[in-house]
Amino acid sequence: MELLSLALIALVVLAGISVIATLRRIAAATERSADALEAMATANLPREVQPANDTV
């Protein structure tokens, strides 16, 4: 019974790690999409109206 409990805990931990990894991949893809959309939105603006790139 104790071995079954340990196996179940290990399974839950591994599932949690998998979920976290998937969420990180989704977040990275979302950030890349947002960067691409921002680049497309500012690509056709005249230089004097483009936002400054001085983010800290």
Side-chain angles (χ1 to χ4, degrees):
M1 186 67 182
E2 185 176 326
L3 185 60
L4 184 61
S5 296
L6 289 176
L8 185 61
I9 290 171
L11 185 65
V12 168
V13 168
L14 290 175
I17 291 171
S18 177
V19 167
I20 290 171
T22 301
L23 290 175
R24 288 182 57 144
R25 283 195 297 271
I26 291 170
T30 303
E31 188 172 349
R32 284 193 304 270
S33 295
D35 289 343
L37 285 172
E38 183 180 4
M40 287 180 358
T42 59
N44 297 326
L45 292 177
R47 188 139 185 92
E48 58 272 3
V49 230
Q50 287 186 356
N53 239 358
D54 58 354
T55 56
V56 178

